[in-house]
Amino acid sequence: MYSFACDYLEGCHEDVLKALCETNMEQAPGYGADRFTKQAADAIRSACQDEQASVYFVNGGTQTNQLVIDTMLAPYEGVIAAQTGHINVHEAGAIECTGHKVLALPETNGKLSASDVDAYVQRFYRDDNHEHMVFPGMVYISHPTEYGTLYSADELRQLAKVCHANHLKLFLDGARLGYGLAADDTDVTLPLIDEFCDVFYIGGTKVGALNGEAIVFPGGKEPTHFLTQIKQHGALFAKGRLVGVQFLALFTDDLYLRISRHAIEAAKQIRQIFEAAGCQFYIDSPTNQQFIILENNVMKELSRWVEFGYWEDYDEDHTVVRFASSWATTQEGIGELRQAVSRCLKQPSMKLVQGEEKDLSAAMDMINAAKRYLHDCGVDQWQTGYPDEACILEDLRSKKGYFAQVGDQKIGYLCIDFNGEPAYEHLNGSWHTDLPYVVVHRMAFSDQTRGHGFSHKVFQLIEELSASKGIYSFRVDTDADNQKMKHILLQNGFQYCGTIWFDHSEKIAFDKKIGSETNENM
């Protein structure tokens, strides 16, 4: 049974293991004085673009959080964190054991807002009895958060501004930092984190290492005698080389980000599987953690085939569960999940139905809904009139207009053309096959069904229809700034081919071979 329960199920990446084996018999001084640890620290400084940064290596995340918070706070100070924050929920009171209270605040999608932090501090100092209370001394955030969400660069900037204005330290928990840095469309980088935070750590345990986290103090502003305090906390490795070797491997040839990217791509496949099954997501996570709402009986049945994590109750009949990918997630595991979901979740029965002229109004409703959606997303596609009623009417008259239909409900419209597309004869690039092809234009879905993964099923049905006609190549194009459609195409196995000119603008073109066994026998 394959497990998606967490992202630290396997040992370590093969390059990390190779580095450990190759250096195993080399004698080296202890407590981080070895050459591997020094080189790893240098590599991290370089990645952070901060040659003055101080870097220390310890064993695990809870140990790191306790150590950093305890050494940076005065005895009378506590640490502000989100109610869902790891130090508040899943660390067994490790922070409180050092005498520091976790000051939990409400969060939004796992994130603290600068305004809420500032309001809390202002209320604290307005209270005439604040000398009898726990002083706020630090703000703790995690990136990614416990819900797989990410702070933006501006959100970090605003938090840093509030912290520094109120003399608070800003601490970023980076247990899964690689998966945050590798996520699509993030504007947060290591140098930016180094700029805004007083301290952060780079997680290794969950991102390719056997164990270990790298604590970074930007500008070398660590607590006095920090190494001594690490030892006081029982956190100083005698064989410090073990973590040093691993981080040196992770920060050589961009390995840390490359393997993190693997987890992001696997998470996209996980999301696609549940979208295609019509499942609802609890939160929109761009990282390796995906949170799905399942009926309790479905959850129980699915757990017979794959492992995943319970997260929280949604209501009496539904539960939020977590599927986590990692640097080590395999395509075999993704395949097991796909089969398990197919067994346990009733997927909507969909079919392609050829449209008639009388269906023009229904088709235009979907086309216009898609135009509004693209406009709201800031995409210029379909914003100059095309496709209009005349275009769709010609589709229907020529028997190229189809509806995606579930039961009696039309949920999508598209043009399926087996006669070729003249614009494709002038591709700036190259197609992957010269076989006769099917082309799809003007695909649109109703507002009510958008986001449920139905496009994946539509592509499957088009491929089946094409194969029945002896067509084994599939071509399609979209606007370069239509990131949603580009993502859908790549997730459905299409490959980028080049650019064409269509509808008065440049488009990016993709193709896909279908019916591979038939192709090989032709």
Side-chain angles (χ1 to χ4, degrees):
M1 181 188 294
Y2 200 84
S3 180
F4 296 90
C6 66
D7 41 19
Y8 45 97
L9 294 164
E10 294 81 6
C12 63
H13 188 271
E14 58 184 13
D15 287 358
V16 174
L17 185 59
K18 180 181 178 183
L20 286 167
C21 292
E22 288 178 346
T23 61
N24 186 52
M25 291 305 295
E26 179 175 333
Q27 292 183 325
Y31 303 111
D34 59 277
R35 69 177 182 90
F36 313 111
T37 300
K38 292 177 181 178
Q39 290 172 10
D42 286 341
I44 289 172
R45 291 187 190 98
S46 178
C48 294
Q49 298 177 14
D50 182 358
E51 295 304 318
Q52 302 304 312
S54 297
V55 183
Y56 296 87
F57 299 96
V58 295
N59 180 50
T62 298
Q63 183 185 68
T64 300
N65 289 333
Q66 186 191 63
L67 175 66
V68 167
I69 291 169
D70 189 34
T71 59
M72 295 189 74
L73 291 184
Y76 50 83
E77 290 179 325
V79 53
I80 295 171
Q83 287 177 340
T84 55
H86 207 266
I87 61 171
N88 189 51
V89 180
H90 287 136
E91 292 191 348
I95 307 306
E96 285 84 353
C97 279
T98 64
H100 300 286
K101 185 176 182 178
V102 176
L103 307 168
L105 296 186
E107 41 71 38
T108 302
N109 296 335
K111 297 191 292 184
L112 284 178
S113 73
S115 58
D116 285 347
V117 171
D118 190 53
Y120 177 85
V121 175
Q122 300 312 313
R123 285 197 304 272
F124 174 84
Y125 282 105
R126 283 200 303 269
D127 192 322
D128 290 339
N129 293 309
H130 68 262
E131 288 286 352
H132 300 271
M133 299 156 62
V134 176
F135 279 67
M138 174 184 282
V139 171
Y140 163 96
I141 60 174
S142 50
H143 183 85
T145 70
E146 287 67 32
Y147 283 93
T149 52
L150 297 174
Y151 287 89
S152 67
D154 187 61
E155 287 171 329
L156 281 183
R157 183 180 294 107
Q158 295 304 320
L159 275 169
K161 183 178 179 180
V162 167
C163 286
H164 297 156
N166 291 287
H167 307 290
L168 307 176
K169 302 295 185 183
L170 181 57
F171 172 30
L172 185 145
D173 177 333
R176 295 185 170 91
L177 184 55
Y179 305 133
L181 297 174
D184 290 344
D185 302 323
T186 181
D187 58 355
V188 172
T189 63
L190 265 179
L192 186 138
I193 292 171
D194 185 274
E195 176 185 352
F196 291 142
C197 295
D198 296 285
V199 58
F200 63 95
Y201 76 92
I202 301 169
T205 302
K206 296 173 181 175
V207 194
L210 281 171
N211 67 308
E213 326 296 323
I215 305 172
V216 181
F217 292 96
K221 298 178 181 178
E222 72 267 43
T224 304
H225 302 301
F226 187 65
L227 187 70
T228 305
Q229 296 193 70
I230 293 176
K231 188 150 192 174
Q232 282 186 336
H233 284 77
L236 189 64
F237 271 8
K239 292 185 178 179
R241 61 183 291 163
L242 293 178
V243 180
V245 167
Q246 295 181 77
F247 269 90
L248 180 56
L250 289 172
F251 277 80
T252 298
D253 297 330
D254 213 25
L255 180 63
Y256 191 70
L257 283 179
R258 284 192 287 113
I259 65 177
S260 296
R261 187 66 196 172
H262 172 87
I264 299 300
E265 294 303 321
K268 290 179 183 178
Q269 291 180 282
I270 292 170
R271 184 177 185 91
Q272 183 187 59
I273 289 169
F274 283 102
E275 283 179 341
C279 290
Q280 181 182 353
F281 286 75
Y282 182 64
I283 201 166
D284 186 18
S285 165
T287 60
N288 71 311
Q289 301 178 85
Q290 298 297 312
F291 299 88
I292 301 100
I293 301 171
L294 295 179
E295 292 183 4
N296 293 339
N297 60 335
V298 172
M299 177 184 67
K300 183 177 180 180
E301 178 64 18
L302 190 60
S303 67
R304 295 177 54 213
W305 303 99
V306 290
E307 289 185 353
F308 48 88
Y310 163 84
W311 205 247
E312 60 186 68
D313 292 338
Y314 185 72
D315 58 31
E316 290 184 359
D317 301 314
H318 297 81
T319 299
V320 179
V321 298
R322 182 186 74 171
F323 283 77
S325 61
S326 79
W327 59 271
T329 301
T330 66
Q331 284 304 301
E332 290 77 12
I334 295 291
E336 285 190 33
L337 175 61
R338 184 175 286 108
Q339 292 177 5
V341 169
S342 179
R343 290 188 191 102
C344 303
L345 279 84
K346 293 181 180 179
Q347 302 189 36
S349 177
M350 185 189 296
K351 58 185 176 181
L352 292 176
V353 178
Q354 200 167 67
E356 302 176 6
E357 290 186 42
K358 64 181 178 64
D359 298 315
L360 176 62
S361 177
M364 287 308 302
D365 285 346
M366 296 177 194
I367 292 292
N368 290 329
K371 288 182 178 182
R372 292 192 297 270
Y373 175 73
L374 290 169
H375 176 270
D376 292 343
C377 291
V379 178
D380 289 335
Q381 190 170 359
W382 291 9
Q383 301 303 305
T384 58
Y386 168 89
D388 56 16
E389 283 195 5
C391 177
I392 302 304
L393 187 58
E394 176 58 28
D395 287 347
L396 297 170
R397 285 174 174 171
S398 61
K399 306 300 182 184
K400 297 176 183 178
Y402 285 78
F403 289 93
Q405 191 165 305
V406 175
D408 295 327
Q409 182 184 8
K410 292 179 174 65
I411 66 166
Y413 172 80
L414 64 159
C415 169
I416 304 176
D417 193 344
F418 295 100
N419 296 323
E421 167 54 59
Y424 289 175
E425 300 302 315
H426 306 285
L427 175 73
N428 182 18
S430 60
W431 301 106
H432 292 95
T433 174
D434 292 326
L435 293 169
Y437 61 89
V438 60
V439 61
V440 169
H441 287 309
R442 301 178 280 281
M443 186 164 72
F445 290 91
S446 64
D447 284 332
Q448 293 77 10
T449 56
R450 187 175 291 110
H452 289 279
F454 287 127
S455 56
H456 176 69
K457 182 62 177 176
V458 169
F459 281 126
Q460 286 183 327
L461 292 173
I462 295 169
E463 291 181 23
E464 293 171 8
L465 177 62
S466 301
S468 72
K469 295 176 177 290
I471 302 295
Y472 300 106
S473 179
F474 194 162
R475 296 181 182 179
V476 68
D477 64 85
T478 190
D479 273 28
D481 61 348
N482 191 341
Q483 295 299 321
K484 180 71 172 178
M485 179 54 70
K486 182 179 177 181
H487 167 73
I488 290 171
L489 292 172
L490 292 174
Q491 287 300 304
N492 279 277
F494 286 83
Q495 294 178 286
Y496 174 75
C497 299
T499 60
I500 63 164
W501 191 260
F502 185 80
D503 183 31
H504 310 293
S505 65
E506 189 177 64
K507 313 290 184 185
I508 51 176
F510 299 79
D511 72 2
K512 177 184 181 181
K513 293 180 182 180
I514 54 180
S516 57
E517 291 183 1
T518 306
N519 288 338
E520 292 170 359
N521 294 329
M522 290 179 66

